[in-house]
Amino acid sequence: MVENGAGRDRLARVLRPVRAGNGFEEALEQILQTIRLGLVRHGERLPSERELAGRMGVSRVTLREALKVLAEQGLVVSRRGRYGGTFVHSPEPPAEGARLGAEVAEVEDALRFREVLESGAAELCAVQGLSGVPAQRLRTAMEAAGDAEPADYRRQDTLFHLTLVELADSPSLTAQYTAVRARVNELLGRIPLLVRNLEHSQAQHAELTDAVLAGDPERARRAAREHCQGTAALLRGFLT
């Protein structure tokens, strides 16, 4: 159990209000961190849905979606009855300190660099203004990602983002982005595909495309950053 004062103090280090825009991804990240850090150990019960939702500032529906993912991954089990709730089940043992530190630093570096490059590319595209063939390329790539089957989603998602960066018309930026995107894709290949996240990602793709084609640099940068931060939250939760 973690429902005593000491347990609540420990959880306060991880569970906090999420930012607007990526509620599901950030809620999942925080619960995963709680488990990975051993703040709630194997066989112990997580706080109630009401408390978790309140701490993170998300709806009960969003919280339940996150808990469902954890159950599907075998990290929690739900039990009914008077002594029921959601219990941590067989989390992976923590990595050795040095290796974990290196992994966290590597993941953070890749995620931050991706965000900087992609938000910059989105802003440049919006400033330059896309019309005609370039605008159609971006729309087509966005729609292809939305229509993709789960098995092909990550390839189409990559093509959408590469198209956006290429349209910024900076070979140096494209080269740097291609390298960091390869690293991000390797990390994404180590976590499960989540339908809820794919739906959210496609909505963000549409917002990003609309902002770029509307010639709104600030909105385009904001949309790109928010999208990158959602992906980053998932990767941090599962991998670090």
Side-chain angles (χ1 to χ4, degrees):
M1 299 271 189
V2 294
E3 287 151 355
N4 55 38
R8 285 196 174 91
D9 289 342
R10 291 198 301 273
L11 293 182
R13 302 173 187 174
V14 176
L15 301 179
R16 58 197 179 277
V18 304
R19 292 166 295 185
N22 291 307
F24 167 77
E25 290 84 358
E26 293 193 22
L28 185 58
E29 174 193 11
Q30 291 187 28
I31 300 172
L32 277 164
Q33 287 177 340
T34 297
I35 295 172
R36 300 295 190 203
L37 292 170
L39 300 181
V40 185
R41 294 172 292 184
H42 173 63
E44 291 185 334
R45 185 168 61 192
L46 289 170
S48 68
E49 288 186 1
R50 176 181 293 181
E51 181 176 349
L52 285 173
R55 281 175 176 267
M56 293 185 286
V58 297
S59 70
R60 297 278 284 273
V61 171
T62 296
L63 175 64
R64 286 168 184 160
E65 289 177 335
L67 292 176
K68 180 181 178 182
V69 168
L70 296 176
E72 290 170 348
Q73 297 302 306
L75 291 171
V76 301
V77 293
S78 296
R79 299 174 191 163
R80 297 181 179 277
R82 181 178 179 183
Y83 299 104
T86 302
F87 294 79
V88 172
H89 178 70
S90 300
E92 296 176 3
E96 294 179 4
R99 185 168 68 84
L100 179 59
E103 175 75 357
V104 170
E106 183 181 2
V107 170
E108 286 295 333
D109 181 62
L111 296 178
R112 288 173 181 169
F113 195 38
R114 182 232 175 157
E115 182 181 328
V116 168
L117 293 179
E118 194 157 330
S119 60
E123 182 177 21
L124 281 173
C125 286
V127 168
Q128 292 166 188
L130 300 183
S131 60
V133 173
Q136 188 55 48
R137 281 185 61 197
L138 188 61
R139 286 195 194 94
T140 299
M142 184 268 290
E143 291 167 358
D147 294 338
E149 296 295 324
D152 194 39
Y153 180 80
R154 282 184 175 149
R155 183 177 73 89
Q156 294 296 343
D157 175 65
T158 298
L159 291 174
F160 167 73
H161 290 285
L162 283 175
T163 298
L164 174 69
V165 173
E166 288 169 355
L167 290 172
D169 198 23
S170 170
S172 295
L173 189 155
T174 299
Q176 292 293 323
Y177 182 78
T178 300
V180 76
R181 180 70 198 207
R183 175 55 178 147
V184 170
N185 280 6
E186 189 275 326
L187 295 172
L188 286 169
R190 293 159 57 184
I191 70 172
L193 279 170
L194 307 177
V195 173
R196 172 69 173 81
N197 172 248
L198 299 190
E199 293 171 347
H200 186 210
S201 290
Q202 189 55 24
Q204 291 180 323
H205 286 171
E207 165 63 14
L208 175 54
T209 299
D210 288 347
V212 168
L213 297 185
D216 188 333
E218 183 178 347
R219 180 182 162 204
R221 173 177 281 276
R222 183 171 61 248
R225 289 191 63 194
E226 186 172 282
H227 180 59
C228 290
Q229 288 167 359
T231 301
L234 283 184
L235 289 171
R236 290 188 188 105
F238 277 104
L239 300 180
T240 66

